[in-house]
Amino acid sequence: MPTEAPPHVNRTRAGEAATFLEAISEALWEEMERDERVFLMGEDIGAYGGAFKVTRGFLDRFGPSRVIDTPISEGGFTGAAAGAAHMGLRPVVEMQFMDFVSPAYDVLTNYIATSLYRGAGPIPLVVRGPVGGGNRGGPFHSQNVEMAFFHTPGLKIVYPSNPRDAKGLLKSSIRDDDPVIFEEHKGLYRAPHCREVLPPDDYVIPLGRARTALEGEHLTIVTYGLMVHRSLDAAAELARDGIRVEIIDLRTLLPLDEEAVAVSLRKTGKLLIVHEDTRTGGIAGEIAIRMNERAFEWLDGPILRVTAIDSPVPFSGELEDYFLPSVQDVVTAARYLVEY
Amino acid sequence: MPTEAPPHVNRTRAGEAATFLEAISEALWEEMERDERVFLMGEDIGAYGGAFKVTRGFLDRFGPSRVIDTPISEGGFTGAAAGAAHMGLRPVVEMQFMDFVSPAYDVLTNYIATSLYRGAGPIPLVVRGPVGGGNRGGPFHSQNVEMAFFHTPGLKIVYPSNPRDAKGLLKSSIRDDDPVIFEEHKGLYRAPHCREVLPPDDYVIPLGRARTALEGEHLTIVTYGLMVHRSLDAAAELARDGIRVEIIDLRTLLPLDEEAVAVSLRKTGKLLIVHEDTRTGGIAGEIAIRMNERAFEWLDGPILRVTAIDSPVPFSGELEDYFLPSVQDVVTAARYLVEY
Amino acid sequence: MGTPPGDAVNGAEIPGLGRRVTGLVISGPAGSPRGRSVTPLGGRVAEDLLYLGFQGRFLEASVRNLAGSGLLDTGLSDFGIDVRTTVIARAMRCGQDGRGDLCHPGLRSPGPALAFGATPLEVLRHLARKGTTPASARTGGWSWTDVRRGVMGWGGARGGMMTQVLAGAALAFKQRGEDRAALVFETRATLQAGGWHEGMNLAGAVRAPLIVVVEDGLPSDSSEETDVEAVAASYGVAFERVAEDAHERVFRMVASARRRAVSGEGPTVIVLVPLAEEDSWALHDDFAARVVARGDVTQSVLDDIESAAATAVDHASGRLNKEPGPSARDALAPVLTDAVPVVPWTRRDPPSPAPPPSTQRAVDAD
Amino acid sequence: MGTPPGDAVNGAEIPGLGRRVTGLVISGPAGSPRGRSVTPLGGRVAEDLLYLGFQGRFLEASVRNLAGSGLLDTGLSDFGIDVRTTVIARAMRCGQDGRGDLCHPGLRSPGPALAFGATPLEVLRHLARKGTTPASARTGGWSWTDVRRGVMGWGGARGGMMTQVLAGAALAFKQRGEDRAALVFETRATLQAGGWHEGMNLAGAVRAPLIVVVEDGLPSDSSEETDVEAVAASYGVAFERVAEDAHERVFRMVASARRRAVSGEGPTVIVLVPLAEEDSWALHDDFAARVVARGDVTQSVLDDIESAAATAVDHASGRLNKEPGPSARDALAPVLTDAVPVVPWTRRDPPSPAPPPSTQRAVDAD
Ligand SMILES: Cc1ncc(C[n+]2csc(CCOP(=O)(O)OP(=O)(O)O)c2C)c(N)n1
Ligand SMILES: Cc1ncc(C[n+]2csc(CCOP(=O)(O)OP(=O)(O)O)c2C)c(N)n1
Ligand SMILES: [Mg+2]
Ligand SMILES: [Mg+2]
C-alpha cells in the first residue's frame, strides 16, 4: 500500500523549488519514512489533508494509525500525545490554527514542560501549526503564540523564516528529545518570493542557533519569522542611504541564542528588535535585559523595538495593516537609532 | 438572616490589626455588602470556607446564590463568570491555588480579554487566589502566574505586598470595569510582620499606580509582592554600608506604572528588578526595554534582575530555598550595581 | 413561570408594511410541544417567521452574490442557512432593551441574529469588515455581540466557550429572579471539547435557564458520532430533537423548553438534525402555504411580507458598498475601559534622543 | 488477547520469604468476573495480594507515625488507603522492564504504586522530600513516575490530565499491537473537568486499552453527584462498580476489563464506591481468612508474609531518617535534555563590569 509521494512532498526529489508549506510537508514525510515512531495527530489532517493541506496524501501512505484525525479537543489530544511520547513514540501534533493551542496551555506548561525535571523522562513531541496575521483571519485565527510559552522552562520554541530553515528545523524538532512548539507563518506558506530549491540531502538545522540573514555594521536587527522579510525590505531601503544593517534571524526563540545577538551588537553598538507579536510582554524585553546583563557597555543607543500594537488582531484589512509592524516602521526606528 | 461578621472580617471594625488574608476577606465582605451585584464563585468556598478560609462565614451571610461552590472546572466557571458579568453582575472568582488558572487560560485570553475591543462591552470580573513559593507546595501549588497574562492586551494584573494595599487594591479591582487577575502571595497571608491596623474608612487604592516602599538615592529596586519584603531586608543590610536603596513596589503589573520607575531611575541612575517568578520571559524584560525606550541616557549601569531559577518550583525545602531569590541575592546584585 | 414566548419588548418594523414584526404574543392556543399535529401559531408570530425566513433566504442569495463580485470573502459565503434556527430563536423572548433573552447565534446562519433584531445591513457589514458598527471591522465574520438586543456573538474557537458564557448569563437571570433565558447554538464537534462539558455541567448543576442547540451539520473528519441524547442524560438535562419538523412544532417545542428553563426545571439540549440540501427552504414554503391556507395571513399580506424582506436585503446590499471602510484608528479601540491605547512611537514622532519624563511624581504619598 | 493478568515480567522478593511475590500467573480457574461467588485466586496471586495489603496497612501506620514526629508533612499523612486499589492494580500485568502495563496510582493511596513494584522506602522518600530518587525532592508527594515499572505519577491538578496521558500511552500500545493496557485512578470531582472528558472521548473513539477507576471518595462541596454510569454510556464505554466486594471478585472484574481492553473492545470505567471508614482493612482480613481456610496458604506462610511486610516497612521508615536530604543543586535538574541549567549570576560570581563575550561567531555560515 505504500503510495507515491504526492507532488507537494516531492519537490526536492524532483529538483524543483519548494514553498515554505511544501518544505514543512517534506520534512514530515521524510521523518515519517525514516522513523516509524513518528506519527501525526490533529483535526482533519487525514482524509481532508489538513486545513492548509500540509498532510495531503499522508493518510494513504502511512495509514490511520500514524495519521490520526482527532476530536476538537486540543488539550486532550496534546495530553494523549504526551502519553504516547512517554511510551517511545514521537508525536507531531497539528493545531489547525496555532491560536487553538490555548486549550492545551495547561497540559503543555504543567505536565509536558515539567516532565524531565520531575524525573518522568523526556517528552519528545512537536506541536506545530500556522500562526500570524496579514491574512484577514481576525483575532482568533491570526495570533502568534510564542509568548504563551516563552516563560515556561522545559519547552523549546522554533519559528522559521524560510523553506530551507523550516524543513531543517522541523526535522531537528522531531528528532529532539524535548517538547517543541513550532510556529509556521501563514504569510510564508505559499509566498512565491520564498520558494527555493532545497538541499537534496537529509539535512537538519540545529535548534538554538540563530542565523545572520544579512551582514552589516551600523545597526543590528534581531527578528524572526515573517518579520525577517520585512526587515530585509527595510534594510534594502536603508542601504540606499548607505546604512548597512545586520539582521539576525533567531530561528529558535527558546533557548534564545543570546551569544549571536551579543556578537552582532558588539559590532554595531545598536540594537533594534522586530517582532510581529504584540508589544507588551513580547520577546523584545527578554532580549533587552539579556543584552543589559552581558553587553551594556557596547550599547551606543537604547535598545528599541518595532512590534504590533497592544490589541487583538483586527479583522478588516485596513485595520490589520495598521496593527502590524510595517517596513516603514522598521525604517523609521532604524534611522532613529543609527542617528542616535 | 444577616449574620454577624465573623472575626476575620471584622478586625478593622474592631480596631485590631489585620493580616494580609484578613484584609482580603474584609475587602470581599465589604464589597459584597456595598454592592449586591458582587458575588463569589470557586471551589469549596461556601460551606468549607475556601482552602485558605478566606470566605469563611460568607455563605451564612450572603447565601448560596452569591457564594457559589463550583465544580472543578476552572475554564467553565470563569467562562460562566464572564457571562454573568456581561449581564451586569460583578463576579469574583477564586482559584483554589492560582496554579489552577491554567485551564482558564483560553477563556481569559481569548474571550474575556478581547470583549471590550470586540465591541461586546466590558467584563468586570476579578480572578483571585493564592500564588507563590516558599510553602513547600511543589511545582503545582507554588506558581506565580503573572507572565501567563502579562502579554494579553485587555487584562489587568494586580499583585499587592501588604494588607493595606491588598484591601484597597482588591476593592478597586472589584469596582473596576476591566477583568483583573489578582495575585495573593501565600507567604504573606498570615505573616505576623505584615499585620497592620487598616484605615477604618472605605478606602481604595487606584490600579496602575506604583508606590515608593523606601526612598533612596543610590539604586532603584523595582519589585512587588513578597519580594518587596526581601528587598526591604536587603536594603536594611545595605544601609549599614551607607547604601541607600529606593524601592518601588509596582502593586499593579498591568498596566505597568513605567512613569514611577522612570522617575526613580532618573534619581538613582541604577535599576535592579526583583521578582519571585522564574527568570526567562519574566516581567523584568519589559521593564528593561521600557526604560531603554524612555530613560536610556540616565542609565549609569546595566539593568539587572534577581529572580527564581528557570525551573519548576521544587518540592523539598532545601531545593525551594535555593530556587527562590534570597535577600543575599538582592544584596549581591545591589552592591555590584552600586559599585558599577 | 415565563412570559409567553414571542412577547418581545420592542420590535423592528417591517419596512414595506409599516408595522412591527416583533413585539408579538402568540394568539393561538398553546399546543402540546411533543404533539405531532401542527397547531396554528398566532398571526403575528406567523408574520414574523415569514418575514425572517424571507430575509434569510434573500440574504443567502445576496451574500453569495457579493462574494462572487469580490465584495465579501468567499470563505464567509460558504454557510448553510437553516431556516429552523430562525424559528428556534424567534420562540425566545427577544427584546431590544437589554432585558430580553440572550442568544449566541452560532456561525452557520444569520437567522437567530435576525430574530433577535439584527438587520441584514448589520449582518453584511460584519461579513464585509465595514467599520460602521463598533465591532464589525475588528472581529466581523458571522458573529458579534449586542447585549442590548441579546445577541452574544463570538467568532472564536469551537471549544464550547459560549455554552459556558451563556450558562453564566443564565445564572445571573436566575439569581435575580428574572424572566429570561439564554439560547446557544453550537456545532456537533463542539461536544468533543472539554469546555462544552464544563459549561453544560455547570448549567445542569445550578439549573440555569439555558437551551443548547446542537447544529448537527457537516460531518468533519474529526467528529465522532457523539450520542447527544446520552450526553444530555449524563448531565440530567432534558433532550429534544428537531428533524424536518414543521415550524409550528419547532416553535412550540422551544417555547416549552424555555418555559421549563425559566421555571427552574433546568436546561434542555436540542439536536438539530441536518436538512437534506435541497430542502433548505421547503419548510419555509410549507409554512407559508399553511398559514395562507388557514387564512391566518392573506396571500396579499404574504406577498407584502416577501417583498418587504426583499427590499430590506436589497437595500442592505446596495448600501454596503457606499459605506465607508473603517479608519485605521479603529484598530486601536481600547482594550481597557480606562486606557487610551498606546500607538508605537514608529507610527508617530520618534522619541527625542533622551526622552524627558514628566518631573511630577506619579507615586502617591501612601 | 492478553497474557493472563498477574504474569509480571519481573518481581520483587518478599524479604522474609526469600522468593518472588510478583511474576506470578493465576493458577486457579478463571471465574466469571460478574459472578457473585468467590472463585479462588491462584496461590501466588493470593500471596501477592496479602503481602501488598499488609504493606499498605503498615505503611499507613508508619506515615501517621512519621507525620506525628514531624518527619513528614501532616498534610501528606491525611490520606485514606483503600486496599481495593491494590487489588485493582495487581490485576494488571505489572512489569519492571518498561514492557508491562501502566498505572497512574492517583493521590489517595500508595497501593497501586506498590503493586507496580514501588517499595515502601520509595513511597516514604517521596513523602519526605528526600533527594535520593530523581524526583522525590522535586515533585514528591504521593506521586512519581517510573516508566520502566509503569508507574505514571502526577502530583498536579485534578483536571483529568492523567486520563489523557494514559489514553495516549494506551494508544501507543494499540498502534504497536502490544499486549499492554493502562490503568488510571481519578477522583470523583475530576469528572467535572473538561480535560477528563476529552481524554475519555479520545480513548473511547480510538478504543484505547484503558481502564479508568473513579475513586468515589470524600465528597467535596464542589462535587455534584455525577452519574458516572450515564457518563460512561455517553462515551459508549463499559462500566463496572466496585463496592464492598471480595478481593477475588474485584481482581477478576479488572482482569476481565483488561482482557476486553487489549482485545480492542475499548475502555472500561470503574466506580470505586467508598468503604465505610471502619471497614478499610476488613476486606483484607476476610481475604486472608478465606485463603487460609481454603488451604491456599497456610497460617504459617500468612504469618511469614505479614511479618515480611512489617519488616519491609519498618526497615523503610528506619532508613528514611538516615538518608541524606537533597543537595541544592538538585533544584537545577535540567528541564531540557541538552541544556545545562543556568544559575543566576547572583548565586555565582558577579559578572565583570563589561562582560566580554566569546569572540567566536556562534552563528553558522548558512
Ligand atoms: C478550539 C478550536 N479548535 C479548532 C477549530 C477549527 N475548526 C473550525 S470549524 C471546525 C470543525 C467543526 O466541526 P463541527 O463542530 O462538526 O461543525 P460543522 O462541521 O457542523 O461545521 C474546526 C476543527 C476551532 N474553531 N476551535
Ligand atoms: C484543576 C484543579 N483545580 C483545583 C484543584 C484543587 N483540589 C485538589 S483536591 C480537590 C477536591 C477534589 O475532589 P474529588 O475529586 O471529589 O476528590 P476527593 O474529594 O475524593 O479527594 C480540589 C478542588 C486541583 N488539584 N486541580
Ligand atoms: Mg460537523
Ligand atoms: Mg470528592
Side-chain angles (χ1 to χ4, degrees), chain C residues 108 158 187-189 215-220 223:
Chain C
R108 194 184 300 288
R158 306 212 176 179
T187 54
R188 172 60 94 95
E215 292 190 76
D216 197 355
L218 316 167
S220 76
S223 343

Side-chain angles (χ1 to χ4, degrees), chain A residues 106-122:
Chain A
D106 189 16
V107 69
L108 278 163
T109 59
N110 281 308
Y111 189 86
I112 292 169
T114 63
S115 179
L116 190 71
Y117 180 84
R118 287 189 284 113

Side-chain angles (χ1 to χ4, degrees), chain C residues 18 36 63 96 165 220 237 239 256-257 285 311 313 323 339:
Chain C
R36 283 275 127 214
V63 168
Q96 303 273 327
V165 171
S220 76
V237 305
F239 174 79
S256 154
D285 294 339
T311 306
V313 173
E323 294 216 338

Side-chain angles (χ1 to χ4, degrees), chain D residues 6-29:
Chain D
D7 180 19
V9 180
N10 287 303
E13 218 151 287
I14 301 188
L17 292 183
R19 57 188 168 79
R20 299 195 174 284
V21 290
T22 55
L24 312 175
V25 275
I26 305 176
S27 45

Side-chain angles (χ1 to χ4, degrees), chain B residues 44 47-48 69-73 100 136 139-140 304 307 309 311-316 318-319 322-325 329 333 336 340, chain D residues 129 137-141 154-158 189 192-193 221-222 326-329 331-332 335 343-347 350-353:
Chain B
D44 294 320
Y48 187 71
D69 277 322
T70 62
I72 305 191
S73 52
F100 305 138
R136 289 38 179 143
F140 311 112
L304 295 179
T307 70
I309 288 167
S311 129
V313 186
F315 190 57
S316 113
E318 290 98 317
L319 305 198
Y322 185 76
F323 161 87
L324 291 170
D329 290 332
Y336 172 83
Y340 191 92
Chain D
R129 307 182 159 89
R138 287 182 228 134
T139 52
W154 169 245
R158 305 214 175 178
Q192 302 162 344
D221 298 334
S222 51
S327 105
R329 287 272 149 170
L332 290 173
V335 291
V343 191
W345 66 263
T346 44
R347 314 275 159 94
S352 56

Side-chain angles (χ1 to χ4, degrees), chain B residues 52 97-99 129-146 159 183-189 225-227 230 276-277 313-314 320 323-324:
Chain B
F52 289 86
F97 287 80
M98 267 297 213
D99 310 59
V131 296
N135 281 42
R136 289 38 179 143
F140 311 112
H141 293 76
S142 307
Q143 295 170 43
N144 288 284
V145 303
E146 55 268 30
Y159 198 149
E183 300 185 63
E184 304 161 6
H185 200 292
K186 293 184 283 292
L188 298 172
Y189 264 172
L226 183 72
M227 288 300 121
R230 290 264 193 293
E276 182 186 303
D277 201 359
V313 186
E320 191 179 27
F323 161 87
L324 291 170

Side-chain angles (χ1 to χ4, degrees), chain D residues 38-165:
Chain D
V38 170
T39 317
L41 290 174
R44 283 181 296 174
V45 167
E47 286 178 16
D48 257 21
L49 291 178
L50 291 169
Y51 184 63
L52 293 166
F54 283 123
Q55 271 196 339
R57 186 176 207 156
F58 298 134
L59 205 45
E60 181 173 52
S62 169
V63 168
R64 295 229 162 105
N65 250 344
L66 290 163
S69 54
L71 290 163
L72 296 178
D73 274 8
T74 49
L76 295 169
S77 76
D78 179 24
F79 62 95
I81 285 195
D82 185 328
V83 66
R84 295 168 306 170
T85 62
T86 315
V87 181
I88 291 169
R90 185 58 190 76
M92 304 295 284
R93 203 172 66 83
C94 325
Q96 304 272 328
D97 61 350
R99 291 190 285 167
D101 289 346
L102 286 190
C103 173
H104 168 59
L107 300 175
R108 194 185 299 289
S109 163
L114 294 173
F116 271 77
T119 66
L121 181 55
E122 286 170 313
V123 171
L124 293 181
R125 270 183 197 142
H126 277 262
L127 292 175
R129 307 182 159 89
K130 290 286 187 178
T132 47
T133 57
S136 56
R138 287 182 228 134
T139 52
W142 272 118
S143 193
W144 73 103
T145 296
D146 181 338
V147 172
R148 206 175 37 84
R149 288 187 287 192
V151 180
M152 306 290 293
W154 169 245
R158 305 214 175 178
M161 218 178 259
M162 291 314 289
T163 294
Q164 300 168 7
V165 171

